[in-house]
């Protein structure tokens, strides 16, 4: 006799059932099943076995399904009454899994698989279920054994058969169709069908990532790299933390074959547990094959830390996985009697790359090298040419010469040329600027040239004004006098000193041919600094039509772009920024990207200039600092946000965060705030809370308005996470800060949001929040704003009254709300309020009143946006009155509008 009771066994089952997915859960369910058997408790035994089948499915261990499945089928024959409705459904549903699992494990024979599919067909036929899952199982088996004719035949039947209660969800059916069509080479059909199937919410845990993963290959085959990139980034974000499913294998291979090896390596490193983990053989083969495709493209010396196996080089891991993939392929072929899988694995390992696919975060740009990157010849001659080119304003060719003079060769140059080279390396950013080093180098130069360098650098040095005045006073050449005068003009402008005009007049009168362009550009900039933007713009447009040396042309483009940005001349600014970039070769043009990106952001054109921003990120990876790249990534994220590509936005923001450098605190704040907002949009609420919390911590305390805005965003996420105490504190803090800033409307908004989000049982806190909001209404100046806020508050009071069972008061408040909303002219809001009143009446058993309100709501509909809601309330009101809805004219009209 068992030494435990039925209650003990039931408790053991419930404890096991509530455990997280894993082998410990499965083993605990087995123990509970044995307890139920010992007691002869058949219904509990059924519940345990159904749970074991589910557990095995989520472990991808179909071999563990067989025993409980056989047991349950025998129990069904013995006593059908031992099954509840859910368990009957689960048994019918899981029958499909058995056929899938046997096919994907070479230990089971084709005869066993075919028998199970036959049993599935018989069972579904006898119960009146659609045969679509049967055709799907036969199509998959045909593909598995290499029977492409059979695949086409069964796919045709699959597509022609209507689904039913035992068919997979509509989205999963689409996924299967995409895979099958792609296997038959019908890539355009697969892509079109799959992309259409992505519309709308699926409610399925494996979608849309399943469809997106299936779409990778047909999209690549038809050359649609942009949508393939979107499919990859969107799907991988949904599966990156899933350690069980095989979808990730396809994304490793996708990265390998599309020129995204670094990303593929990152994904592989997150999946290394699969190297030695117990998996379904088909999944193990899939992982080994896809990982091998990637490893072939990784340096053989790269080291991977593989769980259990230890550290392996890429070459060692590749050998191991290729061997395993081929071993499993041979096992399947031995079972199937065909060479299908060894051929498929061999073909996969030999597959050529697709054209490069740009992902959300651009990689380093594949740009042509600058012309004549290295100047060959005598170092002294190169140095002399470098000095002359800089003096002539041709900084592009001068930089080529400078790059050809390594610093360790300076000792071979005459002291003056060595000094020129050393100073130019600092001024061009090849080495960090060091005032002490500058002071050491200047004495090697002729006095006038030393003054010229000092005059150029005076703007960035402490005491620069006095230094520039000294340079002008001591200069012995017109060239140096002009440089000093231009510097002084800018410095005087900064102090609103009228002597700036004198300096520009002096520079113009000296008329140094090499500096005429610089003087003209500086004159236009002076006019801009005097706030004559239109006049400055006219000047610079005229100047740019002339023949300018490269340094003056660079400054001219910079000024013209800045003026077009300030004047909000959007098309002109976008065009100028592209001209600016195209006017100079790399590496010089890399600096132009900074001005281009700044203009795009200031003009709020990120979405329209996605291509430019992507190029900027790619170029900056090679030619600028990580901090620049972080800034450009942030700008690119704005483009993705503006075009509703939130997954891409999240990816590029995460890269921006990774690249941030010390001292970029304000950029960090902007990144984490936007990332929090994007994660909230994606439904990634824990991440959203984390990033928004970081933003609150980073924001200086004195910025009350920005802090209030952040707290509002954080509170909304905390509310979605069910952290109502934290959300309440955040919203109340935001309301207080808004009042501190004098923005009463936003304060009311924070309190209304608080009241709207509290749980149903928090009636006291809800009432307190709206009471507080209402006391602030007299402080609002805008009558329309007062009306809008009054309507929001009344709607919440109506909800509170409904929660308390006071139907009359709730309806009265909704009627008052409707009157206010109608005065605002907001038709959609008005329909919503009328429907809420109808729902309250339904709750109070006044179906006739609810019907009247629903019909009135229908008469107010401005568009089809709320047709479904009106139809639902009206149909329920009619049902409760035992009135036929199928013949009701309004119901038929609304149904037709839905279709």
């Amino acid at each position: 006799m068992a030494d435990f009771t039925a209650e003990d066994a039931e408790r053991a089952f419930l404890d096991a059932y509530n455990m997280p997915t894993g082998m410990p859960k499965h083993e605990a369910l087995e123990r509970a099943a044995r307890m139920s058997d010992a007691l002869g408790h058949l219904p509990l035994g059924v519940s345990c076995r159904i749970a074991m089948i589910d557990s095995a499915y989520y472990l991808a261990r179909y071999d563990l399904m067989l025993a409980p499945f056989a047991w349950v089928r025998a129990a069904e024959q013995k006593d059908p009454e031992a099954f509840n409705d859910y368990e009957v459904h689960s048994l019918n549903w899981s029958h499909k899994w058995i056929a899938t699992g046997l096919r994907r494990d070479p230990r089971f024979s084709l005869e066993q698989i075919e028998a199970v599919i036959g049993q599935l067909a018989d069972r579904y036929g006898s119960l009146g279920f659609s045969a679509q899952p049967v055709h799907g199982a036969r199509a998959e088996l045909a593909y598995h054994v290499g029977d492409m004719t059979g695949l086409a035949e069964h796919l045709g039947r699959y597509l022609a058969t209507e689904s039913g209660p035992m068919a997979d969800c509509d989205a999963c059916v689409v996924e299967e169709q995409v895979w099958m069509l792609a296997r038959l080479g019908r890539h355009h059909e697969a892509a079109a069908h799959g992309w259409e199937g992505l519309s709308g919410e699926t409610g399925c845990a494996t979608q849309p990532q399943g469809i997106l993963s299936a779409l990778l290959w047909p999209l690549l085959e038809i050359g649609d790299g942009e949508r393939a990139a979107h499919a990859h980034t969107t799907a991988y974000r949904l599966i990156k933390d899933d350690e069980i499913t095989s979808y990730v294998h396809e994304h490793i291979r996708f990265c390998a074959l599309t020129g995204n090896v670094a990303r593929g390596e990152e994904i592989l490193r997150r999946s290394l547990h699969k190297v030695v983990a117990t998996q379904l053989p088909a999944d193990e083969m899939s992982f080994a094959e896809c990982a091998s495709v990637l490893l072939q493209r990784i340096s053989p010396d790269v080291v991977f830390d593989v769980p259990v196996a230890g550290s392996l080089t890429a070459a060692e891991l590749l050998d191991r996985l290729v061997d395993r993939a081929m071993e499993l392929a041979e096992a399947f072929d031995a079972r199937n009697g065909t060479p299908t899988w060894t051929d498929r694995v061999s073909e996969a390992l030999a597959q050529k790359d697709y054209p490069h696919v740009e992902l959300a975060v651009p990689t380093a740009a594949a740009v042509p090298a600058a012309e004549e990157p290295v100047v060959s010849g005598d170092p002294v001659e190169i140095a002399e040419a470098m000095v002359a080119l800089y003096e002539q304003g041709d900084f592009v060719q001068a930089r080529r010469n400078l790059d050809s003079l390594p610093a360790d060769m300076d000792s071979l140059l005459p002291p003056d040329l060595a000094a020129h080279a050393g100073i130019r390396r600092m001024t061009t950013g090849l080495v960090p600027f060091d005032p002490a080093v500058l002071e050491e180098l200047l004495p090697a130069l002729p006095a006038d040239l030393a003054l010229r360098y000092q005059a150029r650098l005076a703007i960035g040095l402490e005491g620069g004004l006095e230094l520039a005045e000294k340079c002008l006073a001591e200069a012995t050449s017109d060239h140096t006098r002009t440089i000093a005068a231009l510097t002084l003009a800018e410095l005087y402008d900064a102090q609103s000193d009228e002597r700036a005009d004198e300096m520009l007049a002096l520079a113009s009168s000296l008329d140094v041919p090499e500096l005429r362009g610089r003087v003209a550009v500086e004159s236009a900039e002076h006019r801009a600094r005097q706030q004559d933007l239109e006049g400055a713009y006219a000047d610079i447009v005229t100047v740019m039509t002339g023949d300018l040396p490269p340094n003056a042309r660079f400054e001219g483009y910079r000024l013209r772009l800045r003026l077009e940005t300030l004047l909000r001349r959007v098309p002109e600014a976008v065009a100028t920024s592209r001209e600016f970039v195209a006017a100079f070769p790399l590496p010089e043009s890399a600096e132009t990207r900074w001005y281009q990106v700044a203009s795009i952001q200031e003009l709020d054109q990120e979405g329209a200039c996605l291509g430019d921003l992507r190029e900027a990120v790619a170029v900056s990876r090679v030619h600028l600092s990580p901090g620049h790249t972080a800034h450009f990534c942030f700008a690119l994220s704005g483009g993705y946000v503006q075009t509703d590509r939130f997954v891409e936005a999240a990816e590029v923001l995460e890269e921006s965060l990774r690249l941030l450098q010390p001292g970029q605190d304000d950029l960090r704040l902007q990144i984490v705030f936007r990332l929090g907002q994007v994660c909230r949009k994606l439904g990634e609420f824990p991440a959203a809370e984390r990033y928004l919390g970081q933003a609150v911590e980073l924001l200086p305390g004195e910025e009350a308005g920005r802090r209030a805005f952040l707290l509002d965003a954080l509170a909304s996420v905390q509310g979605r996470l069910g952290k109502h105490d934290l959300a309440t504190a955040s919203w109340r803090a935001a309301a207080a800060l808004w009042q501190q800033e004098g923005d009463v409307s936003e304060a009311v908004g924070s309190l209304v949001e608080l009241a709207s989000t509290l749980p149903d049982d928090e009636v006291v806190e809800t009432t307190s929040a709206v009471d507080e909001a209402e006391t602030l209404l007299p402080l609002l100046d805008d009558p329309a704003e007062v009306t809008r806020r009054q309507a929001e508050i009344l709607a919440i009071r109506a909800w509170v009254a409904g929660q308390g069972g006071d139907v009359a008061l709730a309806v009265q408040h909704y009627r008052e709300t409707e009157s206010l909303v109608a005065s605002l002219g907001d038709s959609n809001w008005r329909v919503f309020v009328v429907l809420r009143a109808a729902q309250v009446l339904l709750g109070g058993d006044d179906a006739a009143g609810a019907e009247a309100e629903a019909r009135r709501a229908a008469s107010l509909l401005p568009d089809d946006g709320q047709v479904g809601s009106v139809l639902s309330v009206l149909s329920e009101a009619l049902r409760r009155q035992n009135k036929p809805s199928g013949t009701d004219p309004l119901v038929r009209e609304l149904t037709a509008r839905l279709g």
Side-chain angles (χ1 to χ4, degrees):
M1 186 172 178
D3 58 356
F4 47 81
T5 65
E7 289 77 10
D8 294 331
E10 289 168 0
R11 188 179 305 109
F13 166 67
L14 290 174
D15 290 344
Y17 186 85
N18 290 317
M19 290 173 67
T21 297
M23 280 306 299
K25 172 176 181 173
H26 196 84
E27 291 164 356
L29 288 169
E30 284 183 325
R31 289 193 294 272
R34 289 194 295 271
M35 292 171 70
S36 68
D37 293 348
L39 293 167
H41 194 332
L42 186 62
L44 180 59
V46 169
S47 298
C48 289
R49 265 63 179 213
I50 293 293
M52 287 170 66
I53 293 171
D54 283 346
S55 169
Y57 174 77
Y58 289 111
L59 285 169
R61 291 288 305 278
Y62 293 84
D63 55 315
L64 298 178
M65 282 187 195
L66 294 178
F69 182 74
W71 191 99
V72 170
R73 290 197 66 196
E76 182 186 34
Q77 297 298 317
K78 182 179 179 180
D79 183 6
E81 297 301 317
F83 292 72
N84 61 33
D85 290 344
Y86 167 77
E87 290 162 347
V88 170
H89 174 84
S90 294
L91 173 58
N92 291 328
W93 188 268
S94 62
H95 202 136
K96 299 181 299 180
W97 297 344
I98 302 299
T100 298
L102 297 187
R103 185 186 75 245
R104 297 167 70 187
D105 190 330
R107 292 175 294 178
F108 302 102
S109 69
L110 287 181
E111 291 74 17
Q112 288 174 293
I113 301 169
E114 289 165 348
V116 168
I117 295 175
Q119 293 165 5
L120 178 69
D122 293 342
R123 184 178 186 89
Y124 279 17
S126 67
L127 294 172
F129 295 141
S130 166
Q132 188 189 60
V134 179
H135 296 314
R138 286 178 171 150
E140 290 287 356
L141 180 59
Y143 172 74
H144 179 76
V145 301
D147 178 8
M148 304 309 286
T149 301
L151 170 60
E153 175 189 343
H154 292 299
L155 173 59
R157 294 176 180 173
Y158 184 79
L159 296 176
T161 303
E162 291 187 6
S163 63
M166 284 300 111
D168 291 335
C169 75
D170 290 344
C172 288
V173 169
V174 170
E175 179 191 343
E176 283 301 308
Q177 292 171 349
V178 173
W179 282 118
M180 293 181 200
L181 288 167
R183 288 162 179 165
L184 288 169
R186 294 159 61 178
H187 300 298
H188 283 90
E189 283 182 72
H193 188 69
W195 206 259
E196 182 182 354
L198 291 170
S199 59
E201 293 292 329
T202 68
C204 177
T206 63
Q207 301 299 344
Q209 56 267 41
I211 296 174
L212 291 165
S213 298
L215 276 169
L216 295 175
W217 310 110
L219 289 171
L220 288 175
E221 288 293 333
I222 66 175
D224 193 342
E226 183 175 352
R227 285 202 294 181
H230 174 77
H232 163 68
T233 52
T234 304
Y236 182 64
R237 191 164 188 88
L238 293 168
I239 64 175
K240 65 181 181 179
D241 296 322
D242 186 342
E243 297 186 353
I244 297 175
T245 64
S246 60
Y247 288 136
V248 72
H249 308 170
E250 300 299 329
H251 294 272
I252 293 172
R253 185 158 68 99
F254 171 86
C255 291
L257 296 174
T258 58
N260 293 288
V261 173
R263 180 175 173 87
E265 181 183 335
E266 175 189 333
I267 297 173
L268 176 59
R269 289 186 184 278
R270 293 172 63 98
S271 308
L272 288 174
H273 61 283
K274 294 196 171 196
V275 174
V276 294
T278 301
Q279 303 176 71
L280 197 67
D283 288 349
E284 186 179 358
M285 180 175 65
S286 166
F287 171 75
E289 173 197 305
C290 293
S292 295
V293 172
L294 175 74
L295 288 164
Q296 289 174 327
R297 292 159 172 79
I298 291 176
S299 173
D301 297 328
V302 171
V303 176
F304 292 87
D305 293 323
V306 181
V308 181
S311 294
L312 299 174
T313 65
E316 292 169 336
L317 185 55
L318 174 62
D319 288 343
R320 176 180 180 137
L321 292 178
V322 167
D323 289 346
R324 185 57 177 156
M326 293 303 298
E327 178 185 354
L328 288 165
E330 290 165 1
F332 279 113
D333 286 347
R335 188 268 301 277
N336 299 339
T338 68
T340 298
W341 284 103
T342 50
D343 288 348
R344 285 173 179 164
V345 172
S346 298
E347 289 168 6
L349 295 175
Q351 186 173 353
K352 302 298 183 184
D353 286 3
Y354 291 95
H356 176 59
V357 172
E358 287 283 355
L359 300 181
V361 185
T363 54
V367 293
E371 295 181 9
E372 301 180 24
V374 178
V375 179
S376 59
D378 179 81
V380 173
E381 293 178 356
I382 294 172
E384 289 174 340
M386 179 265 296
V387 173
L389 287 165
Y390 271 124
E391 290 300 307
Q392 294 162 15
D394 189 350
F395 71 96
V396 174
Q397 290 304 316
R399 174 64 182 268
R400 302 291 177 270
N401 288 52
L402 180 61
D403 289 343
S404 303
L405 293 170
D408 58 8
M409 292 182 61
D410 285 359
S411 60
L412 303 178
L413 298 174
D416 61 331
L417 292 179
H420 278 296
I423 294 171
R424 287 293 180 182
R425 289 192 195 99
M426 287 191 289
T427 58
T428 56
L430 288 174
V431 298
F433 180 76
D434 187 334
V437 173
L438 176 66
E439 289 299 321
E440 292 176 4
L441 293 174
L442 287 174
L445 297 172
D448 194 65
L449 286 178
L451 291 170
R452 196 174 302 173
Y453 276 121
Q454 289 176 298
R456 288 191 180 99
L457 295 168
I459 292 175
L461 295 176
E462 187 177 350
L465 179 61
E466 293 77 11
L467 176 60
E469 290 173 337
K470 171 180 176 294
C471 291
L472 179 61
E474 297 179 5
T476 59
S477 70
D478 286 349
H479 197 124
T480 302
R481 292 189 187 95
T482 302
I483 295 295
L486 293 176
T487 297
L488 283 167
E490 184 171 346
L491 291 170
Y492 286 145
D493 267 337
Q495 298 184 359
S496 300
D497 192 321
E498 294 180 356
R499 284 180 291 176
D501 291 315
E502 297 175 16
M503 292 299 101
L504 286 170
L506 172 62
S508 181
S509 67
L510 293 172
D511 195 27
V512 177
E514 298 90 341
L515 297 176
R516 285 172 187 159
R518 287 285 302 279
V519 172
V521 172
E522 181 61 30
S523 296
E525 184 130 29
H526 167 68
R527 197 166 183 179
R529 291 194 292 262
Q530 301 300 312
Q531 299 306 307
D532 181 5
L533 302 186
E534 292 287 357
Y537 184 58
D539 287 351
I540 197 61
V541 168
T542 301
V543 169
M544 293 293 287
T545 62
D547 185 17
L548 299 174
N551 65 345
R553 185 159 295 278
F554 185 96
E555 292 300 323
Y557 271 121
R558 182 191 59 76
L559 176 58
R560 180 172 151 189
L561 177 59
R562 182 63 188 148
L563 288 169
E564 287 168 344
T565 303
L566 290 171
L567 293 168
R568 312 298 293 180
R569 298 189 178 189
V570 176
E572 293 90 343
V574 171
T576 295
S577 73
R578 290 170 180 165
E579 282 182 34
F580 195 5
V581 168
F584 300 93
L586 289 167
E588 286 77 13
S589 71
E591 186 178 348
T592 67
R593 298 285 182 174
W594 182 258
Y595 300 108
Q596 180 187 40
V597 171
S599 174
I600 289 170
Q601 288 184 287
E602 192 166 339
L603 292 172
D604 202 28
Q605 292 297 300
E606 294 98 319
C609 297
L610 270 173
D612 302 284
L613 295 173
R614 290 176 60 84
E615 289 177 9
V617 171
V619 167
S620 71
R621 288 189 183 279
V622 178
H623 298 284
L624 297 172
S625 69
H628 281 89
T629 307
H631 186 98
F632 292 173
C633 282
F634 177 73
L636 176 58
S637 75
Y640 287 135
V641 168
Q642 288 180 4
T643 52
D644 294 333
R645 294 167 61 176
F646 295 104
V647 171
E648 288 97 329
E651 294 233 339
V652 79
L653 284 165
E654 288 166 351
E655 177 70 356
S656 184
L657 200 57
R658 187 184 71 79
L659 292 170
L660 274 175
Q661 302 298 295
Q664 292 186 290
D665 294 339
D666 190 60
L667 180 57
R668 181 182 296 277
L669 170 60
Q670 295 176 65
I671 291 169
V672 295
F673 174 63
R674 182 175 288 173
L675 188 50
Q677 295 284 57
V678 167
C679 288
R680 178 171 66 165
K681 188 75 176 180
L682 292 172
E684 299 173 2
F685 297 115
E689 181 187 27
R690 182 171 69 255
Y691 290 124
L692 291 172
Q694 289 176 19
V696 171
E697 292 175 2
L698 288 167
L699 190 67
E702 62 272 14
E703 296 190 40
R706 288 179 73 188
R707 179 172 292 277
F709 185 78
L710 272 172
L711 286 169
D712 275 335
L714 177 60
S716 69
V717 172
Q718 291 167 332
R720 292 296 297 269
L721 288 170
K723 299 181 177 181
H724 297 294
D725 289 345
L726 291 175
T728 298
S730 295
W731 262 311
R732 287 200 170 279
L737 287 169
W738 285 126
Q739 291 182 68
Q740 179 182 320
E741 286 292 286
D743 195 332
V744 178
S745 178
E746 289 294 344
V748 173
S750 297
L751 293 167
V752 167
E753 285 294 324
L754 165 60
S756 301
T757 311
L758 284 165
D760 292 354
D761 57 354
E762 293 286 349
V763 172
V764 174
E765 181 65 39
T766 300
T767 303
S768 172
V770 292
D771 285 347
E772 188 175 338
E774 198 162 44
T775 63
L776 297 175
L777 293 183
L779 302 177
L780 293 175
D781 298 324
D782 183 357
E785 179 69 3
V786 172
T787 301
R788 182 170 70 88
R789 295 303 189 186
Q790 283 177 329
E792 292 172 342
I793 290 169
L794 270 171
I796 296 171
R797 292 198 187 283
W799 175 84
V800 170
Q803 286 294 107
D806 192 337
V807 173
L809 181 58
V811 171
Q812 176 188 332
H813 283 325
Y814 278 129
R815 295 272 168 76
E816 293 167 349
T817 303
E818 182 193 351
S819 176
L820 293 171
V821 170
S823 72
L824 293 171
D826 194 326
S827 301
N828 278 307
W829 191 2
R830 185 178 182 185
V831 172
F832 175 79
V833 170
V834 174
L835 280 179
R836 292 302 296 265
Q839 289 165 340
V840 168
L841 289 167
L842 276 176
D845 294 327
D846 184 357
E851 178 189 349
E853 288 296 277
R855 291 185 185 280
R856 195 161 65 85
S859 71
L860 298 171
L861 282 169
D863 51 44
D864 291 345
Q866 297 185 78
V867 166
S869 300
V870 174
L871 178 59
S872 175
V873 174
L874 176 58
S875 298
E876 178 62 18
L878 292 171
R879 186 191 68 79
R880 293 198 188 182
Q881 298 175 81
N882 296 316
K883 292 182 178 181
S885 60
T887 56
D888 186 278
L890 180 57
V891 169
R892 296 174 68 178
E893 176 194 334
L894 294 173
T895 302
R897 288 174 69 173
L898 269 183

